[in-house]
């Protein structure tokens, strides 16, 4: 594909529901990042994968948040028992190199807007 | 630790006028600095980045930014605004040999015809 895609683009969940957000990175990209962007804020780092390995999950706000990338390509961010404060845009980005190449360009998807009622 | 401060959440300029979006950073290691642009319903797109070397960096769509270490600044400029420049702009910093990026809160640019 030409770029990073994310699905669904919009998700409305009732408080307490579980949700799963999907990211399809650019083919061949080693690094994959998830960010959370609250209204009026910049993206904030959640977690990082190098291929299938989750090397940094320091930004996940609670143990209700879980991410995986089992085959080193598609990634899923799962939020259990959603709360209103989870309402945000969830962004996925991928880059060609390992995260230890700090100047490599990250390519962002359009995001999934999650609204928790 | 790293942080970015963008001055002004909203900036309005007339078409043809100078665009100046301000960004100041804080970093305990030599920083890598980025400007991203987000158009409505699109993903964040890299405008330009500073890594090492020349402090004046040119990006896409006629934008440029200058890294000023003494002022810890990385302001974004464009000599003449176009209507198509209306978007939200994010300054970001990384460093320490790792791609983990810290973003500012963004500046929405409005271009008035």
């Amino acid at each position: 594909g030409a770029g990073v895609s994310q699905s669904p683009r919009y998700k409305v969940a009732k408080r307490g529901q579980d949700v799963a957000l999907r990211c399809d990175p650019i083919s061949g990209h080693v690094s994959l990042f998830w960010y959370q962007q609250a209204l009026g804020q910049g993206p904030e780092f959640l977690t990082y994968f190098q291929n299938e390995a989750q090397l940094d999950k320091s930004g996940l706000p609670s143990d209700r948040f879980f991410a995986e990338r089992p085959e080193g390509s598609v990634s899923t961010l799962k939020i259990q028992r959603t709360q209103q404060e989870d309402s945000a845009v969830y962004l996925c980005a991928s880059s060609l190199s390992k995260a230890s190449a700090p100047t490599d360009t990250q390519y962002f998807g359009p995001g999934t807007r999650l609204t928790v009622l | 630790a790293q942080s970015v401060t963008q001055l002004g959440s909203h900036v309005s300029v007339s078409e043809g006028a100078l665009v100046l979006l301000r960004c100041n950073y804080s970093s305990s290691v030599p920083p890598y600095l980025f400007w991203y642009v987000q158009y409505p319903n699109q993903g964040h797109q890299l405008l330009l980045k500073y890594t090492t070397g020349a402090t004046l960096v040119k990006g896409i769509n006629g934008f440029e930014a200058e890294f000023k270490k003494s002022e810890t600044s990385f302001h974004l400029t464009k000599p003449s605004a176009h209507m198509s420049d209306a978007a939200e702009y994010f300054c970001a910093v990384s460093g320490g040999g790792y791609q983990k990026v810290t973003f500012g809160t963004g500046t929405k640019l409005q271009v008035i015809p």
Side-chain angles (χ1 to χ4, degrees), chain A residues 9-10 33 35 37 40-43 45 48 56 58 91 95 97-106 108-110, chain B residues 32 34 36 38 41-46 49-51 88 90 94-106:
Chain A
R9 291 292 312 277
Y10 302 90
F33 301 80
Y35 294 86
Q37 185 174 7
Q41 302 296 316
F45 171 83
Y48 160 67
D56 187 343
S58 62
L91 300 169
S95 67
S97 304
K98 298 177 183 179
S100 56
T103 63
D104 200 8
T105 298
Q106 291 188 28
F108 282 79
Chain B
Y32 300 113
F34 309 84
Y36 282 85
Q38 184 180 24
N41 296 315
Q42 295 186 27
H44 294 66
Q45 178 184 2
L46 183 67
K49 62 184 177 183
Y50 168 78
T51 56
E88 190 161 19
F90 293 87
S94 71
Y98 183 35
Q99 269 184 53
K100 184 174 175 179
V101 177
T102 300
F103 285 83
T105 53

Side-chain angles (χ1 to χ4, degrees), chain A residues 38-66:
Chain A
L39 189 64
Q41 302 296 316
E44 292 193 2
F45 171 83
L46 292 178
T47 187
Y48 160 67
F49 289 87
Q50 179 178 303
N51 295 311
E52 70 279 2
Q54 188 175 19
L55 299 186
D56 187 343
K57 51 183 181 180
S58 62
L60 296 177
S62 77
D63 59 7
R64 295 185 296 103
F65 286 71
F66 172 76

Side-chain angles (χ1 to χ4, degrees), chain A residues 84-103:
Chain A
Q84 285 190 326
E85 60 263 29
D86 300 334
S87 296
V89 176
Y90 291 85
L91 300 169
C92 175
S94 70
S95 67
L96 183 61
S97 304
K98 298 177 183 179
S100 56
T103 63

Side-chain angles (χ1 to χ4, degrees), chain B residues 17-108:
Chain B
L18 171 72
V19 176
L20 171 61
L21 305 183
R22 299 178 185 274
C23 172
N24 288 89
Y25 70 91
S26 173
S27 178
S28 56
V29 297
Y32 300 113
L33 295 159
F34 309 84
W35 275 99
Y36 282 85
V37 60
Q38 184 180 24
Y39 298 102
N41 296 315
Q42 295 186 27
H44 294 66
Q45 178 184 2
L46 183 67
L47 265 182
L48 49 80
K49 62 184 177 183
Y50 168 78
T51 56
T52 58
T55 57
L56 182 63
V57 180
K58 295 186 184 298
I60 60 172
N61 301 336
F63 284 92
E64 63 182 34
E66 186 171 10
F67 170 60
K68 292 187 176 180
K69 184 178 178 180
S70 61
E71 298 177 9
T72 61
S73 69
F74 191 58
H75 302 330
L76 181 70
T77 61
K78 182 174 180 178
S80 177
H82 293 167
M83 295 299 296
S84 59
D85 295 328
E88 190 161 19
Y89 293 80
F90 293 87
C91 183
V93 62
S94 71
Y98 183 35
Q99 269 184 53
K100 184 174 175 179
V101 177
T102 300
F103 285 83
T105 53
T107 298
K108 287 185 178 176

